[in-house]
Amino acid sequence: MDGTATSYWQLNFDENGNATGQDPGALISAVSASGTTDLFVMSHGWNNSEGDAERLYSAMFPLIANAPGVPAHAGYLGVFWPSIWFPDPPAGSSDAALSGAQISATLARSVPAASAPLATMGALIDSGLGHVDAGTATPAQQSAAVEQFHGLLQNVFGGTTATTEDAGESALIASDNPQRDYAALAVEMGSAPAAGDAEGLADIFGPIWNGAKDALRVASFYQMKARAGTVGAKGLGPFLVQLHTAVPALRVHLIGHSFGARLVSFALSGIPSPQESPVASLTLVQGAFSHWSFTQAADSPFAEAGALFSVTDRVSGPLVSTFTAADWAVGRWYPKASFLAQQDNQDVAAPDRWGGMGSDGYQSVEPSANVALPLPTGTALAASTFYRADANGVIKDTSQSAFAGAHSDIEHPEVAALIVAAATAGQ
């Protein structure tokens, strides 16, 4: 890694949370021998290559190393896991500009075992839209192709499981009326106009096939959330227990971006008890998972406990979550992916059942407090407290992505200062 953060290691996991490419015991020995007192552990989100993740760490860790008050003997660990992101459409266009082949090829990089059915799904989309343009298929033929596509979608993604508060996307995958629901999804996502405003998509199968593209985005959202939880609970969590056993005085500071925020959060569930945890702080940067994950049932408007409510005591210091309105991926599109599951949330005044951390931070948690970036000099954070960090003044560059907005606009000294403030709370 480039920059001033010199005590740097990598930890690689496969999709099941198994360490790959190195011996975790050797890594633990290296950390122990380095004299590191505070280890900043960061997980990337939907970068789908090691190079993308490495570039993120090469930017963020030096910012942390240069932040005021960073511990003198800090070390840095980058977590790598097989994540994915649905490709952005060309600038100034909608998802309709992406071909089915482009979408399926991108998804196949992170789901290699499903490359053949994904390729077929991409071909079905392109063929279906081609028939719409040419008028060369009957409704019965198009219907059969949609059913084939949906069957493949269910075969590839139907085995995905996530915790209740993060399972909104599963309703679309389980749909028993894909024609209706794909067309509705296309309108929800903006990839096809509402009925009556077709403008060139008069054939009903135009919106349906564009909705099929969106269905792949929804399915990839769901799978990556679930995968992040698996890698955290089965991979990173047990590794942290081993690290604590070997180096009891080491303080670990977990940092996660996007789906990586879910990974580091679910690592807490892989730590059996507070006594076995080295985690001194948790900072979620534009987290792409449910903002109810840490809520107790008694405090939930849905009377449902989040999956992580019982493991907050694995963090001895603050638990921080940034949020910004400029994060379109989490604030706009993340809840849209759960549109079929929103029958219980039709009242716009009702709590946002399917919202994400990056849109408004932790919900219905205690004790909690609000802060804003940049943090005023000398701001002290308290241990065992949830902080909602308003990042509207910093994480705001929506030019980075036509789809995600400022979701990945996190490489700022102000964000690093927040991470260090959480890491040094009470010291």
Side-chain angles (χ1 to χ4, degrees):
M1 185 189 68
D2 298 328
T4 58
T6 55
S7 296
Y8 171 69
W9 301 273
Q10 295 183 1
L11 180 59
N12 296 269
F13 294 108
D14 66 16
E15 62 187 64
N16 298 311
N18 300 310
T20 63
Q22 84 272 50
D23 175 14
L27 173 57
I28 290 171
S29 295
V31 173
S32 177
S34 71
T36 296
T37 60
D38 290 76
L39 184 66
F40 291 86
V41 178
M42 185 170 188
S43 174
H44 63 85
W46 48 46
N47 299 299
N48 61 7
S49 74
E50 184 170 322
D52 291 330
E54 185 60 55
R55 282 187 287 275
L56 173 65
Y57 300 149
S58 293
M60 286 303 302
F61 285 147
L63 286 173
I64 295 170
N66 291 320
V70 68
H73 300 289
Y76 304 86
L77 175 64
V79 175
F80 294 80
W81 60 289
S83 65
I84 194 169
W85 177 228
F86 197 95
D88 270 0
S93 61
S94 71
D95 279 353
L98 289 169
S99 72
Q102 287 174 311
I103 295 166
S104 62
T106 300
L107 295 179
R109 294 180 205 154
S110 197
V111 196
S115 58
L118 284 168
T120 300
M121 293 165 78
L124 286 167
I125 290 172
D126 293 338
S127 175
L129 287 172
H131 286 306
V132 168
D133 291 339
T136 51
T138 67
Q141 290 171 327
Q142 287 278 49
S143 294
V146 172
E147 291 298 329
Q148 182 184 1
F149 175 92
H150 191 60
L152 290 168
L153 184 83
Q154 292 179 322
N155 287 338
V156 173
F157 298 103
T160 302
T161 57
T163 52
T164 301
E165 72 279 3
D166 265 326
E169 297 89 345
S170 63
L172 180 68
I173 299 171
S175 170
D176 60 3
N177 191 337
Q179 290 190 37
R180 177 198 64 198
D181 294 334
Y182 288 2
L185 179 62
V187 173
E188 183 78 11
M189 292 290 194
S191 57
D197 297 316
E199 297 182 4
L201 289 175
D203 189 314
I204 184 60
F205 287 97
I208 290 170
W209 284 118
N210 279 298
K213 294 181 182 181
D214 292 317
L216 281 173
R217 186 193 295 279
V218 168
S220 67
F221 255 80
Y222 189 44
Q223 185 176 78
M224 286 306 106
K225 276 196 299 184
R227 182 179 294 181
T230 297
V231 174
K234 296 184 177 180
L236 182 58
F239 171 82
L240 294 176
V241 172
Q242 297 174 37
L243 183 63
H244 183 60
T245 299
V247 196
L250 181 69
R251 291 162 45 87
V252 170
H253 309 291
L254 296 178
I255 311 154
H257 172 238
S258 185
F259 290 131
R262 193 173 198 265
L263 191 155
V264 298
S265 295
F266 272 76
L268 303 177
S269 68
I271 302 174
S273 69
Q275 293 73 31
E276 295 170 89
S277 177
V279 182
S281 67
L282 174 72
T283 304
L284 311 179
V285 185
Q286 298 310 117
F289 70 113
S290 176
H291 52 196
W292 304 106
S293 293
F294 289 88
T295 305
Q296 298 191 51
D299 299 323
S300 167
F302 314 106
E304 296 175 356
L308 301 175
F309 84 95
S310 64
V311 295
T312 58
D313 59 2
R314 275 51 165 186
V315 184
S316 61
L319 303 91
V320 181
S321 173
T322 70
F323 66 91
T324 175
D327 185 338
W328 300 341
V330 178
R332 296 183 185 179
W333 305 113
Y334 181 96
K336 287 178 182 289
S338 300
F339 86 109
L340 272 189
Q342 291 179 20
Q343 294 92 337
D344 58 351
N345 197 190
Q346 294 299 309
D347 184 354
V348 295
D352 186 358
R353 183 178 183 90
W354 303 110
M357 288 283 181
S359 64
D360 52 10
Y362 303 104
Q363 296 297 293
S364 297
V365 290
E366 294 296 340
S368 65
N370 299 317
V371 294
L373 299 185
L375 286 179
T377 302
T379 298
L381 304 184
S384 303
T385 300
F386 292 93
Y387 286 92
R388 290 178 288 269
D390 184 336
N392 280 287
V394 175
I395 301 176
K396 59 184 180 180
D397 182 6
T398 58
S399 69
Q400 293 198 358
S401 169
F403 177 84
H407 179 69
S408 295
D409 179 32
I410 67 170
E411 296 168 10
H412 298 284
E414 295 88 349
V415 175
L418 176 69
I419 293 167
V420 170
T424 56
Q427 292 189 316

